Amino acid sequence: METAAAVFILAALGLVGAQTVAAARFRARILGLAARLHDTPATRSLEGRLPSLVADFARRAGVEPGAGLRLASFAQDGELRLRKGGRFTRTVAWQVVALGRAGFLWDARQSLGPVQHLRVVDAYVGAEGVLEARLFGSVPVARMSGRDLALGEAFRYLAELPWAPDAILGNPELAWRVTGPDRVEVRLATQGGTARVTFRFDAAGDIVGMEASGRPARDAAGMNATLDWRGTFADYRQIGPRRLPEYGEVGYVWPGTGYEPYFRGRIRDYHVAP
């Protein structure tokens, strides 16, 4: 009995040790992706090349043309569901956004009570998409890559530009086109195709809506699909050095049932860095 107990304890310690090592390697991978974003070019002054509606939005946010910034970062408190019709789970995240070239890193955690049970990394770095989820930060449960993912992540980078106004005024990869009195489309070319997102502005000139067609996604059965995509922004206020929408929500338009959000949350602790 004592021998069996000792073997069990040693096996448990070995499992804990292996999980600790795997979690440390995952953390190192995340920090490496963030470091690669910091190595991207700084913003340039594109003020005279943008539609006035877009340039005015960025200036009102507090952006200074030609400031030479590389990154914006912020914390996020939200709710996320991983499948159509699923249950929302509280999610906290740290996000880094490249400003002079398209790129971002979203490092999110979901918990059951006091225990973190899922860590998700969603990123677009070096024109490649990364999506990986691990139980307890160590046990792989999902991992995706490839051209469709990269295109989908490019869509996300564009959709979240209201949270990165320095990129609006300083990222030369972005192409802008006015499509209506209160609508502007932004495009980003990738190896998998061109991502296109349209922003809707209110009477005050704030971005309050986002829409896109044909974003790569997974359907209700988990198969590859392209879906229409929608989002909203609200509650503009000063967060650190920028005037930003504190609240954001995004979801897909499902055939037959219509729009359903899969993420909603608020941002805080906003910073920009050269």
Side-chain angles (χ1 to χ4, degrees):
M1 290 292 291
E2 290 180 357
T3 301
V7 170
F8 175 79
I9 291 171
L10 288 173
L13 290 173
L15 179 60
V16 170
Q19 288 184 337
T20 301
V21 170
R25 288 177 177 170
F26 193 39
R27 286 194 300 272
R29 173 171 162 77
I30 293 168
L31 293 175
L33 290 171
R36 289 177 61 191
L37 289 177
H38 188 267
D39 289 339
T40 55
T43 54
R44 295 163 49 186
S45 179
L46 307 174
E47 190 173 20
R49 297 162 48 183
L50 302 180
S52 59
L53 195 60
V54 175
D56 290 346
F57 172 85
R59 284 194 299 266
R60 193 164 57 256
V63 177
E64 298 180 6
L69 299 175
R70 283 184 167 81
L71 296 178
S73 63
F74 52 88
Q76 197 176 67
D77 298 305
E79 295 179 303
L80 175 70
R81 54 181 162 198
L82 301 177
R83 65 181 184 277
K84 183 180 184 297
R87 180 175 61 89
F88 276 105
T89 303
R90 182 175 180 269
T91 303
V92 295
W94 168 64
Q95 183 158 335
V96 181
V97 184
L99 301 174
R101 176 180 293 169
F104 71 87
L105 167 69
W106 187 70
D107 177 15
R109 298 167 177 81
Q110 293 185 333
S111 300
L112 290 174
V115 180
Q116 174 193 310
H117 77 285
L118 187 66
R119 188 170 188 177
V120 180
V121 172
D122 194 23
Y124 184 66
V125 180
E128 295 181 351
V130 176
L131 179 58
E132 189 168 353
R134 295 197 178 199
L135 286 172
F136 310 112
S138 60
V139 183
V141 293
R143 186 169 187 175
M144 295 175 59
S145 59
R147 288 192 173 190
D148 282 350
L149 179 64
L151 179 58
E153 303 294 29
F155 271 93
R156 175 171 176 173
Y157 178 82
L158 297 180
E160 295 183 347
L161 284 172
W163 285 335
D166 291 86
I168 292 176
L169 210 56
N171 183 347
E173 292 185 331
L174 308 181
W176 299 87
R177 180 172 67 96
V178 175
T179 58
D182 62 350
R183 294 174 183 266
V184 178
E185 179 191 79
V186 58
R187 304 185 306 280
L188 175 63
T190 77
Q191 293 183 353
T194 299
R196 291 180 172 86
V197 164
T198 296
F199 291 118
R200 178 171 55 85
F201 294 74
D202 65 10
D206 288 332
I207 294 174
V208 293
M210 176 280 296
E211 58 187 51
S213 298
R215 187 191 186 214
R218 295 292 181 96
D219 63 19
M223 304 298 291
N224 290 336
T226 56
L227 297 171
D228 289 347
W229 202 36
R230 300 288 183 270
T232 58
F233 294 95
D235 298 342
Y236 277 78
R237 68 179 186 85
Q238 194 75 21
I239 307 176
R242 297 289 180 263
R243 180 182 178 272
L244 304 164
E246 182 185 45
Y247 177 81
E249 176 185 299
V250 67
Y252 287 115
V253 181
W254 296 96
T257 58
Y259 172 77
E260 180 181 294
Y262 63 81
F263 174 81
R264 54 198 182 202
R266 295 183 178 274
I267 68 168
R268 55 181 171 80
D269 300 334
Y270 193 91
H271 303 276
V272 291

